[in-house]
Amino acid sequence: MPSHDFLPSEQPVQLLDQDGRRVEDPEHEFPADEAMLRAHEALVVGRRVNEQAYALVRQGRLAVYPSSYGQEACEVAAALVLADQDWLFPTYRDVVSIIGRGVDPVETLTLLKGDWHCGYDPTEHRVAPQTTPLATQLIHAVGVAHAATLRGEDTVVMAMCGDGATSEGDFHEALNFAAVFKAPVVFFVQNNEYAISVPLARQTVAPSLAHKAVGYGMPGERVDGNDVAALLSVLGTAVDAARSGAGPSLVEAHTYRMQAHTNADDATRYRQDDEVEKWQGRDPLLRSEAYLTGRGLLTDERSASISARAEAVATVMRDGLMQDVAPDPADLFDHVYATPTPQLREQAAFLADELSREGVS
């Protein structure tokens, strides 16, 4: 295949403009009405999840929360285009995607509460543990995809990362291996303009992050990351191609992190308010709502039902994370090695003795 066939479009694919009006694109199929309604419901739920999680941070129930507020269209579409047998490899910012795959919201947030484990069984919904090191999950994602191919399984892997991860060596190793072995992986880059405080211009001078795909012999595409219709279409096409044996691809979504990197970040130190305000008018939730309302698909009754479901999810989060769980000191030593080392056994015995002297069982 000629290398020019791998190049992304000059402008990000867009099927809904900023005001929710449909944009005709002969190369990309517009999603069906039911798919758009399902995506809108997931957007509303995702926005409520972000709001509730931030409140739980302020109440001391979450240690940290990397918000995807404003990026929910990316989160929603990544989950919706996958089949049950597919795998999602998320980052720390992809809570909404994980919940979209069916993982319990409280279990999803367990890691961010400060627990020692990810909180859920990755095999139940085929969602890998959230990762905080940048790009390490991409290599694991490629490994799962390659293993599935060797076993003859009908599996596609959605490997999510941010723009900051594209500056890591693991990103390049993952893309190269996937391309050489035609692994069924979709590398999904949420380009939200900043790697914490480092702007994209300080990371690369490439025309776009999607252009990096051509260097590895795979197609790249750019998409409006605040347009859920375009995301469903572009990601869906990429998943279908991977499933058919066409190999991996890279999709770059142009979006924006409306809130701080995490609750521990002061975003005002590296970006201006007018920049944030510019993106507020591109809100994916408002865009979807305008389109569906204009089509007569989003009635008051359905809108109320969606809001009720979103509030039910928020209630589950509140109730679950407000529960105090007594820590077990033995957890410090369990699950470190399959067979504990002499040093671990000695340390465990020392702690048990200290606790027994203090009357702690």
Side-chain angles (χ1 to χ4, degrees), residues 320-357:
L321 290 165
M322 286 295 179
Q323 301 297 319
D324 290 321
V325 179
D328 183 356
D331 285 345
L332 289 169
F333 310 100
D334 293 339
H335 313 295
V336 180
Y337 294 101
T339 303
T341 64
Q343 292 87 352
L344 276 179
R345 286 195 294 267
E346 180 182 353
Q347 292 168 19
F350 178 81
L351 179 60
D353 180 63
E354 286 290 314
L355 293 176
S356 65
R357 292 172 184 272

Short mmCIF file of all heavy atoms in Angstrom, two decimals, residues 320-357:
data_model
loop_
_atom_site.label_atom_id
_atom_site.label_comp_id
_atom_site.label_asym_id
_atom_site.label_seq_id
_atom_site.Cartn_x
_atom_site.Cartn_y
_atom_site.Cartn_z
N GLY A 320 -21.15 4.42 47.65
CA GLY A 320 -20.07 3.44 47.71
C GLY A 320 -18.78 4.02 48.26
O GLY A 320 -18.10 3.39 49.07
N LEU A 321 -18.45 5.23 47.87
CA LEU A 321 -17.19 5.82 48.29
C LEU A 321 -17.26 6.48 49.65
O LEU A 321 -16.23 6.83 50.24
CB LEU A 321 -16.69 6.81 47.24
CG LEU A 321 -16.24 6.13 45.95
CD1 LEU A 321 -16.10 7.13 44.82
CD2 LEU A 321 -14.92 5.38 46.15
N MET A 322 -18.46 6.66 50.18
CA MET A 322 -18.61 7.19 51.53
C MET A 322 -18.43 6.10 52.59
O MET A 322 -18.36 6.40 53.78
CB MET A 322 -19.98 7.86 51.69
CG MET A 322 -20.10 9.20 51.00
SD MET A 322 -18.99 10.43 51.71
CE MET A 322 -19.35 11.85 50.66
N GLN A 323 -18.37 4.85 52.16
CA GLN A 323 -18.20 3.75 53.10
C GLN A 323 -16.74 3.67 53.54
O GLN A 323 -15.82 3.63 52.72
CB GLN A 323 -18.62 2.42 52.46
CG GLN A 323 -20.06 2.38 51.98
CD GLN A 323 -21.05 2.54 53.11
OE1 GLN A 323 -20.86 1.96 54.19
NE2 GLN A 323 -22.11 3.29 52.87
N ASP A 324 -16.52 3.67 54.84
CA ASP A 324 -15.17 3.52 55.38
C ASP A 324 -14.81 2.04 55.46
O ASP A 324 -15.57 1.24 56.02
CB ASP A 324 -15.07 4.14 56.77
CG ASP A 324 -15.15 5.66 56.73
OD1 ASP A 324 -14.58 6.24 55.79
OD2 ASP A 324 -15.79 6.25 57.62
N VAL A 325 -13.69 1.69 54.88
CA VAL A 325 -13.23 0.30 54.89
C VAL A 325 -11.97 0.22 55.75
O VAL A 325 -10.99 0.93 55.50
CB VAL A 325 -12.91 -0.20 53.46
CG1 VAL A 325 -12.41 -1.62 53.50
CG2 VAL A 325 -14.15 -0.06 52.58
N ALA A 326 -12.03 -0.62 56.78
CA ALA A 326 -10.87 -0.76 57.68
C ALA A 326 -9.73 -1.45 56.94
O ALA A 326 -9.91 -2.54 56.39
CB ALA A 326 -11.27 -1.57 58.90
N PRO A 327 -8.55 -0.83 56.89
CA PRO A 327 -7.43 -1.45 56.19
C PRO A 327 -6.91 -2.67 56.94
O PRO A 327 -6.94 -2.72 58.18
CB PRO A 327 -6.38 -0.34 56.15
CG PRO A 327 -6.70 0.53 57.33
CD PRO A 327 -8.20 0.48 57.47
N ASP A 328 -6.46 -3.65 56.20
CA ASP A 328 -5.85 -4.84 56.78
C ASP A 328 -4.34 -4.72 56.63
O ASP A 328 -3.83 -4.74 55.50
CB ASP A 328 -6.35 -6.09 56.07
CG ASP A 328 -5.79 -7.37 56.68
OD1 ASP A 328 -4.96 -7.29 57.60
OD2 ASP A 328 -6.19 -8.46 56.23
N PRO A 329 -3.60 -4.58 57.74
CA PRO A 329 -2.14 -4.42 57.63
C PRO A 329 -1.46 -5.55 56.88
O PRO A 329 -0.39 -5.36 56.29
CB PRO A 329 -1.69 -4.36 59.09
CG PRO A 329 -2.90 -3.88 59.83
CD PRO A 329 -4.07 -4.50 59.12
N ALA A 330 -2.08 -6.73 56.88
CA ALA A 330 -1.47 -7.88 56.20
C ALA A 330 -1.39 -7.66 54.69
O ALA A 330 -0.58 -8.30 54.00
CB ALA A 330 -2.26 -9.15 56.49
N ASP A 331 -2.21 -6.74 54.17
CA ASP A 331 -2.18 -6.45 52.73
C ASP A 331 -0.82 -5.91 52.29
O ASP A 331 -0.49 -5.96 51.09
CB ASP A 331 -3.26 -5.43 52.37
CG ASP A 331 -4.65 -6.05 52.36
OD1 ASP A 331 -4.73 -7.29 52.34
OD2 ASP A 331 -5.64 -5.29 52.36
N LEU A 332 -0.04 -5.37 53.24
CA LEU A 332 1.29 -4.88 52.90
C LEU A 332 2.19 -6.00 52.38
O LEU A 332 3.13 -5.74 51.62
CB LEU A 332 1.94 -4.23 54.13
CG LEU A 332 1.37 -2.89 54.59
CD1 LEU A 332 1.94 -2.54 55.96
CD2 LEU A 332 1.73 -1.81 53.58
N PHE A 333 1.89 -7.22 52.75
CA PHE A 333 2.78 -8.33 52.44
C PHE A 333 2.16 -9.34 51.48
O PHE A 333 2.88 -10.12 50.85
CB PHE A 333 3.20 -9.04 53.73
CG PHE A 333 3.70 -8.10 54.78
CD1 PHE A 333 2.89 -7.69 55.83
CD2 PHE A 333 4.99 -7.59 54.70
CE1 PHE A 333 3.35 -6.80 56.79
CE2 PHE A 333 5.46 -6.70 55.65
CZ PHE A 333 4.64 -6.30 56.70
N ASP A 334 0.84 -9.35 51.39
CA ASP A 334 0.18 -10.27 50.47
C ASP A 334 0.32 -9.78 49.03
O ASP A 334 0.41 -8.59 48.77
CB ASP A 334 -1.31 -10.39 50.81
CG ASP A 334 -1.53 -11.06 52.16
OD1 ASP A 334 -0.62 -11.77 52.63
OD2 ASP A 334 -2.61 -10.86 52.75
N HIS A 335 0.31 -10.69 48.10
CA HIS A 335 0.30 -10.39 46.67
C HIS A 335 1.54 -9.65 46.19
O HIS A 335 1.51 -8.97 45.17
CB HIS A 335 -0.96 -9.59 46.30
CG HIS A 335 -2.22 -10.13 46.87
ND1 HIS A 335 -2.73 -11.36 46.50
CD2 HIS A 335 -3.07 -9.62 47.80
CE1 HIS A 335 -3.85 -11.59 47.17
NE2 HIS A 335 -4.08 -10.56 47.96
N VAL A 336 2.63 -9.76 46.93
CA VAL A 336 3.90 -9.19 46.47
C VAL A 336 4.66 -10.25 45.67
O VAL A 336 5.09 -10.00 44.54
CB VAL A 336 4.76 -8.69 47.65
CG1 VAL A 336 6.08 -8.12 47.14
CG2 VAL A 336 3.99 -7.66 48.46
N TYR A 337 4.81 -11.43 46.25
CA TYR A 337 5.40 -12.58 45.57
C TYR A 337 4.47 -13.78 45.75
O TYR A 337 3.78 -13.89 46.77
CB TYR A 337 6.77 -12.93 46.14
CG TYR A 337 7.83 -11.88 45.92
CD1 TYR A 337 8.18 -10.99 46.93
CD2 TYR A 337 8.49 -11.78 44.69
CE1 TYR A 337 9.16 -10.02 46.73
CE2 TYR A 337 9.47 -10.82 44.48
CZ TYR A 337 9.79 -9.95 45.50
OH TYR A 337 10.76 -8.99 45.29
N ALA A 338 4.46 -14.67 44.78
CA ALA A 338 3.65 -15.89 44.92
C ALA A 338 4.12 -16.69 46.13
O ALA A 338 3.32 -17.23 46.88
CB ALA A 338 3.76 -16.73 43.65
N THR A 339 5.43 -16.75 46.32
CA THR A 339 6.03 -17.37 47.50
C THR A 339 6.77 -16.28 48.26
O THR A 339 7.77 -15.75 47.75
CB THR A 339 7.01 -18.50 47.12
OG1 THR A 339 6.33 -19.48 46.34
CG2 THR A 339 7.59 -19.14 48.38
N PRO A 340 6.29 -15.91 49.44
CA PRO A 340 6.92 -14.80 50.18
C PRO A 340 8.40 -15.06 50.45
O PRO A 340 8.80 -16.18 50.76
CB PRO A 340 6.12 -14.75 51.49
CG PRO A 340 4.81 -15.39 51.17
CD PRO A 340 5.12 -16.45 50.15
N THR A 341 9.18 -14.02 50.34
CA THR A 341 10.61 -14.13 50.63
C THR A 341 10.82 -14.19 52.14
O THR A 341 9.94 -13.79 52.92
CB THR A 341 11.37 -12.92 50.06
OG1 THR A 341 10.90 -11.74 50.75
CG2 THR A 341 11.14 -12.77 48.57
N PRO A 342 11.97 -14.67 52.58
CA PRO A 342 12.25 -14.68 54.03
C PRO A 342 12.14 -13.29 54.65
O PRO A 342 11.66 -13.14 55.78
CB PRO A 342 13.68 -15.22 54.10
CG PRO A 342 13.84 -16.04 52.86
CD PRO A 342 13.04 -15.33 51.81
N GLN A 343 12.56 -12.28 53.91
CA GLN A 343 12.49 -10.91 54.44
C GLN A 343 11.04 -10.47 54.65
O GLN A 343 10.71 -9.84 55.66
CB GLN A 343 13.20 -9.95 53.47
CG GLN A 343 14.70 -10.13 53.38
CD GLN A 343 15.09 -11.19 52.36
OE1 GLN A 343 14.24 -11.90 51.82
NE2 GLN A 343 16.40 -11.31 52.12
N LEU A 344 10.18 -10.81 53.68
CA LEU A 344 8.76 -10.45 53.83
C LEU A 344 8.12 -11.18 55.00
O LEU A 344 7.33 -10.59 55.76
CB LEU A 344 7.99 -10.76 52.54
CG LEU A 344 8.02 -9.70 51.43
CD1 LEU A 344 7.23 -10.19 50.23
CD2 LEU A 344 7.45 -8.38 51.93
N ARG A 345 8.43 -12.47 55.13
CA ARG A 345 7.87 -13.22 56.26
C ARG A 345 8.33 -12.64 57.59
O ARG A 345 7.56 -12.53 58.55
CB ARG A 345 8.26 -14.70 56.14
CG ARG A 345 7.51 -15.45 55.06
CD ARG A 345 7.66 -16.95 55.23
NE ARG A 345 9.04 -17.38 55.04
CZ ARG A 345 9.54 -17.79 53.88
NH1 ARG A 345 8.77 -17.82 52.81
NH2 ARG A 345 10.81 -18.18 53.79
N GLU A 346 9.60 -12.24 57.64
CA GLU A 346 10.14 -11.65 58.87
C GLU A 346 9.43 -10.33 59.18
O GLU A 346 9.06 -10.07 60.33
CB GLU A 346 11.64 -11.44 58.72
CG GLU A 346 12.29 -10.81 59.95
CD GLU A 346 13.78 -10.56 59.75
OE1 GLU A 346 14.33 -10.98 58.72
OE2 GLU A 346 14.39 -9.92 60.63
N GLN A 347 9.25 -9.50 58.16
CA GLN A 347 8.60 -8.21 58.36
C GLN A 347 7.13 -8.39 58.76
O GLN A 347 6.62 -7.67 59.62
CB GLN A 347 8.70 -7.38 57.08
CG GLN A 347 10.12 -6.93 56.74
CD GLN A 347 10.22 -6.36 55.34
OE1 GLN A 347 9.22 -5.98 54.75
NE2 GLN A 347 11.43 -6.31 54.80
N ALA A 348 6.46 -9.36 58.14
CA ALA A 348 5.06 -9.62 58.47
C ALA A 348 4.91 -10.09 59.92
O ALA A 348 4.00 -9.66 60.64
CB ALA A 348 4.47 -10.66 57.52
N ALA A 349 5.83 -10.95 60.34
CA ALA A 349 5.78 -11.44 61.71
C ALA A 349 6.06 -10.31 62.70
O ALA A 349 5.42 -10.22 63.76
CB ALA A 349 6.80 -12.57 61.89
N PHE A 350 7.00 -9.44 62.35
CA PHE A 350 7.33 -8.30 63.22
C PHE A 350 6.12 -7.38 63.39
O PHE A 350 5.78 -6.96 64.50
CB PHE A 350 8.51 -7.53 62.63
CG PHE A 350 8.90 -6.32 63.44
CD1 PHE A 350 9.69 -6.44 64.56
CD2 PHE A 350 8.45 -5.05 63.07
CE1 PHE A 350 10.05 -5.33 65.32
CE2 PHE A 350 8.80 -3.93 63.82
CZ PHE A 350 9.61 -4.06 64.94
N LEU A 351 5.44 -7.07 62.27
CA LEU A 351 4.27 -6.20 62.35
C LEU A 351 3.14 -6.86 63.14
O LEU A 351 2.48 -6.21 63.96
CB LEU A 351 3.78 -5.84 60.94
CG LEU A 351 2.54 -4.94 60.88
CD1 LEU A 351 2.79 -3.61 61.59
CD2 LEU A 351 2.12 -4.70 59.44
N ALA A 352 2.93 -8.15 62.90
CA ALA A 352 1.87 -8.86 63.63
C ALA A 352 2.13 -8.84 65.13
O ALA A 352 1.20 -8.67 65.94
CB ALA A 352 1.78 -10.30 63.12
N ASP A 353 3.39 -8.99 65.51
CA ASP A 353 3.74 -8.94 66.92
C ASP A 353 3.49 -7.56 67.50
O ASP A 353 2.95 -7.41 68.61
CB ASP A 353 5.22 -9.33 67.10
CG ASP A 353 5.65 -9.30 68.55
OD1 ASP A 353 5.10 -10.09 69.35
OD2 ASP A 353 6.53 -8.47 68.88
N GLU A 354 3.89 -6.51 66.76
CA GLU A 354 3.66 -5.14 67.23
C GLU A 354 2.17 -4.86 67.41
O GLU A 354 1.76 -4.26 68.40
CB GLU A 354 4.27 -4.15 66.21
CG GLU A 354 5.78 -4.08 66.23
CD GLU A 354 6.29 -3.41 67.50
OE1 GLU A 354 5.76 -2.35 67.89
OE2 GLU A 354 7.21 -3.97 68.12
N LEU A 355 1.37 -5.31 66.44
CA LEU A 355 -0.08 -5.05 66.50
C LEU A 355 -0.71 -5.80 67.67
O LEU A 355 -1.62 -5.29 68.33
CB LEU A 355 -0.73 -5.43 65.19
CG LEU A 355 -0.36 -4.57 63.97
CD1 LEU A 355 -1.00 -5.13 62.71
CD2 LEU A 355 -0.81 -3.12 64.20
N SER A 356 -0.23 -7.03 67.91
CA SER A 356 -0.81 -7.82 69.01
C SER A 356 -0.49 -7.17 70.36
O SER A 356 -1.29 -7.21 71.29
CB SER A 356 -0.27 -9.26 68.97
OG SER A 356 1.12 -9.28 69.22
N ARG A 357 0.67 -6.56 70.47
CA ARG A 357 1.06 -5.88 71.70
C ARG A 357 0.16 -4.66 71.96
O ARG A 357 -0.07 -4.29 73.11
CB ARG A 357 2.52 -5.42 71.64
CG ARG A 357 3.54 -6.54 71.64
CD ARG A 357 4.93 -6.00 71.38
NE ARG A 357 5.93 -7.03 71.28
CZ ARG A 357 6.61 -7.53 72.30
NH1 ARG A 357 6.39 -7.06 73.51
NH2 ARG A 357 7.50 -8.48 72.12
#
